[in-house]
């Protein structure tokens, strides 16, 4: 039976919560491939307003979009540029669209690395090797807009740090003009100084975006509460 859009949203939320819980228990993403794949298929069904394929790996596709496109979905949780995304070239003839997703384990969100027709995706793939054709992750990540080119929608300065919320929702932290990586330790330091809890009402740690947003809101509120300078 086909899932409704509401059921897809609920299932995606439950799968993401399960994934985050496993990560908090110390399980590496490499041990959560099945869960990663399920999250990717649910997310693809959501953004295409489509449905999951009737059976697993049905003729090489995972989702059927609202337009009737047969979509092959690949999902990774790798956060570096190493590795590749592989496809079976013999089943790609049954596919109309390719979507490659990444679960950002820092921000606990799903990022779209590629959403293209099969023809365009084939152009990005290397030659067939051991029955597979692959797209290097480095090639997919290079397609993303560099952080330096993203618009800053919110910015505050606090304790020598500059915290920026970018147009994508990403939180960037700078000190003396230099980006801080990873950002989480600096955000935790600021949160403690601002008396911001590091966990939500369920006792789960805030992710980078949530914590960064809370810090920006708190610093702005703090600045607004200060008396205006006298002329």
């Amino acid at each position: 039976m086909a899932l409704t859009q509401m059921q897809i949203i609920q299932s995606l939320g439950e799968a993401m919560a399960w994934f985050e819980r496993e990560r908090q228990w110390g399980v590496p993403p490499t041990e959560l491939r099945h869960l990663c794949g399920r999250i990717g298929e649910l997310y693809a069904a959501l953004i295409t307003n489509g449905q999951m394929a009737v059976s697993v790996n049905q003729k090489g596709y995972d989702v059927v979009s609202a337009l009737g496109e047969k979509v092959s979905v690949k999902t990774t949780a790798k956060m570096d540029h190493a590795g590749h995304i592989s496809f079976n070239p013999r089943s790609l003839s049954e596919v109309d669209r390719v979507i490659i997703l990444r679960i950002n384990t820092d921000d606990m969100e799903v990022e779209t690395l590629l959403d293209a027709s099969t023809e365009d995706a084939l152009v990005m793939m290397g030659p067939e090797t051991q029955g597979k054709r692959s797209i290097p992750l480095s090639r997919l990540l290079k397609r993303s807009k560099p952080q330096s080119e993203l618009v800053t929608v919110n910015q505050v300065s606090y304790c020598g740090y500059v915290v920026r919320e970018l147009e994508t929702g990403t939180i960037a932290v700078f000190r003396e003009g230099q980006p801080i990586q990873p950002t989480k330790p600096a955000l935790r330091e600021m949160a403690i100084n601002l008396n911001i809890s590091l966990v939500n009402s369920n006792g789960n740690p805030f992710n980078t975006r949530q914590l960064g947003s809370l810090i920006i809101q708190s610093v702005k509120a703090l600045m607004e509460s200060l008396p205006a300078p006298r002329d």
Side-chain angles (χ1 to χ4, degrees):
M1 184 178 68
L3 297 177
T4 65
Q5 282 290 293
M6 183 57 69
Q7 288 171 329
I8 289 173
I9 292 170
Q10 290 173 341
S11 295
L12 178 59
E14 291 168 1
M16 288 293 291
W18 180 13
F19 183 90
E20 185 172 16
R21 185 165 57 250
E22 293 277 357
R23 294 286 292 125
Q24 290 169 359
W25 290 340
V27 181
T30 50
E31 300 299 322
L32 299 172
R33 293 189 187 92
H34 176 72
L35 185 53
C36 285
R38 178 66 175 177
I39 289 170
E41 291 170 9
L42 286 165
Y43 186 81
L46 182 63
I47 64 175
T48 63
N49 198 28
Q51 287 292 332
M52 317 283 282
V54 176
S55 58
V56 178
N57 291 324
Q58 181 172 313
K59 296 184 179 178
Y61 62 91
D62 309 285
V63 168
V64 179
S65 76
L67 299 177
E69 301 164 305
K70 297 173 183 177
V71 186
S72 175
V73 182
K74 299 290 184 180
T75 309
T76 182
K78 291 180 66 66
M79 293 300 292
D80 55 28
H81 286 61
H84 53 268
I85 306 297
S86 297
F87 296 84
N88 181 344
R90 277 161 288 286
S91 61
L92 281 174
S93 60
E94 302 287 342
V95 175
D96 305 304
R97 182 174 171 183
V98 172
I99 295 179
I100 300 176
L101 305 168
R102 178 172 71 172
I103 301 175
N104 185 321
T105 54
D106 292 332
D107 297 332
M108 282 310 299
E109 67 174 14
V110 182
E111 301 172 337
T112 302
L113 301 184
L114 181 70
D115 185 352
S117 67
T118 304
E119 290 77 11
D120 290 342
L122 282 166
V123 172
M124 300 181 65
M125 296 180 195
E128 183 173 339
T129 304
Q130 297 181 339
K132 298 288 184 181
R133 293 191 65 180
S134 303
I135 304 177
L137 269 175
S138 57
R139 185 175 299 172
L140 293 169
L141 295 173
K142 282 179 182 178
R143 292 165 54 90
S144 302
K145 197 174 182 180
Q147 194 175 94
S148 59
E149 296 180 12
L150 295 173
V151 175
T152 298
V153 296
N154 263 316
Q155 177 174 308
V156 296
S157 297
Y158 184 74
C159 288
Y161 293 107
V162 174
V163 183
R164 295 176 183 168
E165 181 184 2
L166 306 179
E167 60 182 304
T168 57
T170 296
I171 298 296
V173 179
F174 297 82
R175 188 159 203 167
E176 297 180 352
Q178 298 300 312
I180 303 295
Q181 289 291 346
T183 60
K184 204 71 174 286
L187 292 174
R188 287 197 188 102
E189 177 187 334
M190 285 182 273
I192 291 170
N193 287 336
L194 290 163
N195 292 318
I196 296 173
S197 175
L198 300 179
V199 298
N200 61 24
S201 58
N202 294 321
N204 298 319
F206 286 117
N207 63 37
T208 302
R209 294 193 182 194
Q210 293 168 335
L211 195 56
S213 180
L214 288 171
I215 288 169
I216 289 172
Q217 293 172 25
S218 183
V219 172
K220 282 189 171 184
L222 181 63
M223 296 303 294
E224 289 172 0
S225 68
L226 296 175
R230 295 182 178 180
D231 294 333

